[in-house]
Amino acid sequence: DTAVSQTPKYLVTQMGNDKSIKCEQNLGHDTMYWYKQDSKKFLKIMFSYNNKELIINETVPNRFSPKSPDKAHLNLHINSLELGDSAVYFCASSRTVKYEKLFFGSGTQLSVL
Amino acid sequence: AQKVTQAQTEISVVEKEDVTLDCVYETRDTTYYLFWYKQPPSGELVFLIRRNSFDEQNEISGRYSWNFQKSTSSFNFTITASQVVDSAVYFCALLLNTDKLIFGTGTRLQVFP
């Protein structure tokens, strides 16, 4: 069983479109995250939710909107996609918010044309 | 400033060589955690180790070992008798009270047969 699963694995779309990436964890964790990895492999946090509540919101354009319907799911919706949004997006989860090991999904490679 | 520096962008070795990946971190916090993650060519992020700031004992796990030295703010990772399957990008990361995992820029390790 995959612990943190995200879909789709690849997403190719045109500029200006709206797209969503879904993430689910079956570990019973309270906290979920979205990280972005750019073309130079640099990883940076975007958002974090604890029990459906937003706790970290980095300086991310408001075209990016996370949604957590329950603590096992954290979806990422992106409006009006831009070329610079092309990256690999990783979902992750941890048991609680403090100092816990993060379990990562396998990533979604987003290509905006 | 809080940051993680992995000065080695890329390392190439021949199988069975030992290799050390350097990690230097900066923080003024007294409580923090350090991590190493592996990202193989398949793209997922695999957890390797978590170490808290109060535990400076070195750790060995099979061919992997970690040397944590607070005096030099370093958390270096050594692979003994490297194998082709060790080829990956390795990330060192720092976790503070903010719950944001701060990644280094990664070191790409290539192990040639």
Side-chain angles (χ1 to χ4, degrees), chain B residues 38-53:
Chain B
K38 174 182 179 180
Q39 187 174 37
S42 49
E44 73 272 24
L45 283 157
V46 179
F47 167 83
L48 295 178
I49 189 171
R50 177 183 70 160
R51 175 53 53 84
N52 77 55
S53 52

Side-chain angles (χ1 to χ4, degrees), chain A residues 50-89:
Chain A
N50 184 56
N51 272 317
K52 302 193 298 174
E53 183 182 340
L54 180 67
I55 55 171
I56 294 175
N57 184 352
E58 286 296 279
T59 311
V60 178
N62 57 15
R63 297 182 295 102
F64 289 79
S65 52
K67 285 188 172 48
S68 183
D70 55 62
K71 73 174 193 176
H73 295 83
L74 180 61
N75 303 323
L76 183 65
H77 189 76
I78 315 170
N79 288 328
S80 303
L81 278 155
E82 299 177 358
L83 293 176
D85 297 332
S86 297
V88 181
Y89 293 84

Side-chain angles (χ1 to χ4, degrees), chain B residues 11-37:
Chain B
I11 301 176
S12 295
V13 298
V14 177
E15 237 183 348
K16 296 184 185 173
E17 282 186 34
D18 298 347
V19 58
T20 295
L21 309 181
D22 297 333
C23 173
V24 173
Y25 62 92
E26 289 178 39
T27 180
R28 291 181 184 169
D29 288 19
T30 54
T31 301
Y32 53 88
Y33 278 74
L34 294 162
F35 294 76
W36 276 94
Y37 280 86

Side-chain angles (χ1 to χ4, degrees), chain A residues 35 37 58 97-99 102, chain B residues 37 39 50 97 99-100:
Chain A
Y35 278 79
Q37 186 174 42
E58 286 296 279
V97 292
K98 290 299 181 189
Y99 301 123
L102 269 64
Chain B
Y37 280 86
Q39 187 174 37
R50 177 183 70 160
N97 193 42
D99 295 312
K100 300 176 192 176

Side-chain angles (χ1 to χ4, degrees), chain B residues 49-61:
Chain B
I49 189 171
R50 177 183 70 160
R51 175 53 53 84
N52 77 55
S53 52
F54 300 107
D55 181 4
E56 283 193 74
Q57 272 196 339
N58 291 332
E59 181 155 342
I60 298 174
S61 175

Side-chain angles (χ1 to χ4, degrees), chain A residues 10-55:
Chain A
Y10 300 98
L11 187 51
V12 181
T13 188
Q14 300 283 337
M15 254 187 352
N17 284 350
D18 302 340
K19 289 293 177 186
S20 291
I21 306 172
K22 294 185 176 181
C23 180
E24 175 182 3
Q25 54 95 2
N26 62 5
L27 298 166
H29 288 169
D30 286 345
T31 312
M32 295 185 73
Y33 311 79
W34 278 108
Y35 278 79
K36 178 180 179 180
Q37 186 174 42
D38 64 22
S39 58
K40 295 183 179 178
K41 294 286 191 181
F42 183 61
L43 275 153
K44 191 170 182 217
I45 190 168
M46 300 173 69
F47 300 103
S48 168
Y49 270 73
N50 184 56
N51 272 317
K52 302 193 298 174
E53 183 182 340
L54 180 67
I55 55 171

